[in-house]
Amino acid sequence: MDTETKKIFGKQFKKNRYHIFNIICPVASVLLAFLAGGLMLLLLKINPLVVYGRMIVASFGDPYNLAEMLVKAAPLLLTGLSFAFAFKAGLFNIGADGQFYLGALGAVFVSLKLGFLNPWLLLPLALLASIIMGGLFGGLSGYLKARFNANEIITTIMMNYVAFGLTNYVVNGPLKEKAGAYPQTDPIPAQAQLPLLISDTRLHWGFILALFCAVIFYFIITRTSIGFQVRAVGLNRRTAEYAGINTKRVLVLAMVFSGIFAGIAGFGEINGVQHILIQGFAPNVGTIGTVIALLANANPLGIVIGSLFFGFLQVGANLISQTSQVPQNAIDMIQGFVVIFVLISYYIQYRVNAHQKIRQLKGAL
């Protein structure tokens, strides 16, 4: 084997080594989270192997619980895509919760006000309202970043509270239920509800919509000019600008698409699961979606798998707390450990990948 061939194989080996490393890190994060959770259960004098075994059997051994995992995974998948799209452009969208709430608000408004329409017309209009509300809300943060270079982490967090406050106002005022007893809207009409995929479960067509959005995400990022521009800006904004890319436009569009995905999650939750908008419903959907996106390194297939995993954790935690003496908080700790180890994993991946780029640049000089 000549020297040139050895160099080619050496470069390919190093490239594959880093790809493998980026796969191992998320898997290790999950395993360490279960290990840490197991140690905490031992401190409570609870056998972790028994608990984990029951979670698996209860979640996968019953069709209803298996369908419930997919129900829980759908909004997490979409909010994960929401964070990931902005992340591809080098932005941190921490506002998926607010965009999710605005999407839900748009969906319930259209569903209640236009409930007399045929479902073939009503459901697309409700979806369109969610897309518009989520997209505009996300785009506003993108505009503030592009126009004033405002830190998107701060603006999206602040706008979460705007969305929460607006939703609270609506369910306590203009759209409050006719009975006036609770901070919630009236139930949406039957024709505004997404049909079920499997009878006698809560699994609805919103899950298929979420999977379709993952495909759309992949297509936009990898097969379109705007996707190329998003990735170019994410890699190096200044270089992309020198190359003639309108970086400000890209930043706004990235946040618009990010908000759209989160808004669609709101539509699926209202029209597919809740059928009513309640103050403070579905908390932390955006936060968990952010963790899933980091766990998957913003890869759409990884986000699908991560959302299914967290759906399993949520369903398993509910089942274990209802059928045993294990407290709910003990299972919730596992999710907390996942968050901690994912952040550590992301930092390690960032440092290793940065070191790799530096070595590549030195090798090119």
Side-chain angles (χ1 to χ4, degrees):
M1 186 181 293
D2 57 38
T3 306
E4 187 64 29
T5 304
K6 287 181 179 180
K7 286 183 179 180
I8 293 172
F9 275 101
K11 289 180 179 179
Q12 188 63 38
F13 173 76
K14 289 179 180 178
K15 184 178 179 181
N16 292 337
R17 183 179 64 184
Y18 282 111
H19 282 316
I20 294 171
F21 176 78
N22 287 334
I23 294 173
I24 290 175
C25 274
V27 175
S29 300
V30 173
L31 294 177
L32 287 171
F34 273 100
L35 178 62
L39 293 174
M40 294 299 292
L41 290 172
L42 285 174
L43 291 177
L44 296 173
K45 298 182 180 180
I46 300 171
N47 189 332
L49 296 180
V50 173
V51 172
Y52 295 158
R54 286 179 180 175
M55 285 178 64
I56 294 172
V57 172
S59 299
F60 292 94
D62 182 79
Y64 180 87
N65 294 334
L66 187 59
E68 196 65 16
M69 284 172 49
L70 303 183
V71 172
K72 298 290 188 183
L76 301 179
L77 167 55
L78 286 162
T79 54
L81 294 175
S82 172
F83 178 87
F85 202 99
F87 188 73
K88 291 289 186 181
L91 299 172
F92 283 79
N93 176 25
I94 314 298
D97 278 314
Q99 295 147 16
F100 167 77
Y101 265 61
L102 264 291
L105 188 58
V108 78
F109 181 84
V110 170
S111 299
L112 290 174
K113 297 301 182 181
L114 301 179
F116 56 87
L117 293 176
N118 183 284
W120 289 100
L121 181 59
L122 180 56
L123 283 170
L125 286 176
L127 174 60
L128 180 61
S130 296
I131 288 173
I132 292 173
M133 294 289 282
L136 287 177
F137 208 62
L140 180 57
S141 295
Y143 174 77
L144 293 174
K145 177 68 175 180
R147 180 68 177 84
F148 304 104
N149 198 31
N151 188 300
E152 74 278 4
I153 297 176
I154 295 174
T155 58
T156 50
I157 289 175
M158 292 174 65
M159 291 185 73
N160 276 342
Y161 291 100
V162 174
F164 299 155
L166 180 60
T167 304
N168 292 345
Y169 164 73
V170 169
V171 298
N172 283 281
L175 292 184
K176 189 173 184 178
E177 62 173 352
K178 292 178 181 177
Y182 300 103
Q184 62 187 32
T185 66
D186 288 313
I188 62 175
Q191 58 266 34
Q193 298 174 13
L194 286 167
L196 296 176
L197 273 173
I198 302 176
S199 59
D200 300 323
T201 70
R202 297 200 304 168
L203 183 60
H204 55 85
W205 277 89
F207 178 73
I208 302 299
L209 177 62
L211 292 177
F212 179 70
C213 285
V215 175
I216 293 296
F217 177 102
Y218 175 80
F219 178 80
I220 292 174
I221 289 295
T222 62
R223 296 291 186 270
T224 66
S225 60
I226 184 61
F228 171 78
Q229 292 175 26
V230 165
R231 287 183 286 120
V233 171
L235 288 173
N236 193 310
R237 192 177 305 170
R238 184 171 296 179
T239 302
E241 197 168 272
Y242 286 150
I245 295 175
N246 187 339
T247 56
K248 293 184 178 180
R249 171 178 170 270
V250 171
L251 293 176
V252 174
L253 282 177
M255 287 301 297
V256 167
F257 277 106
S258 187
I260 285 174
F261 286 122
I264 293 174
F267 163 77
E269 195 67 13
I270 291 296
N271 294 72
V273 180
Q274 305 286 346
H275 303 149
I276 190 172
L277 181 59
I278 305 172
Q279 180 175 316
F281 83 108
N284 300 323
V285 168
T287 303
I288 299 175
T290 298
V291 174
I292 291 171
L294 290 174
L295 181 67
N297 200 23
N299 181 289
L301 178 59
I303 293 172
V304 172
I305 296 171
S307 63
L308 293 173
F309 169 69
F310 271 85
F312 157 70
L313 283 182
Q314 292 184 0
V315 172
N318 290 335
L319 293 172
I320 290 298
S321 63
Q322 292 169 7
T323 59
S324 69
Q325 299 299 318
V326 179
Q328 172 84 30
N329 292 338
I331 307 299
D332 289 341
M333 283 190 305
I334 298 173
Q335 289 193 46
F337 282 124
V338 170
V339 172
I340 293 171
F341 286 114
V342 163
L343 293 176
I344 295 173
S345 168
Y346 172 73
Y347 176 76
I348 294 173
Q349 285 178 274
Y350 173 80
R351 298 293 299 177
V352 170
N353 290 333
H355 180 67
Q356 179 195 15
K357 290 177 182 178
I358 292 172
R359 290 185 63 181
Q360 288 175 346
L361 288 172
K362 288 182 177 179
L365 295 175

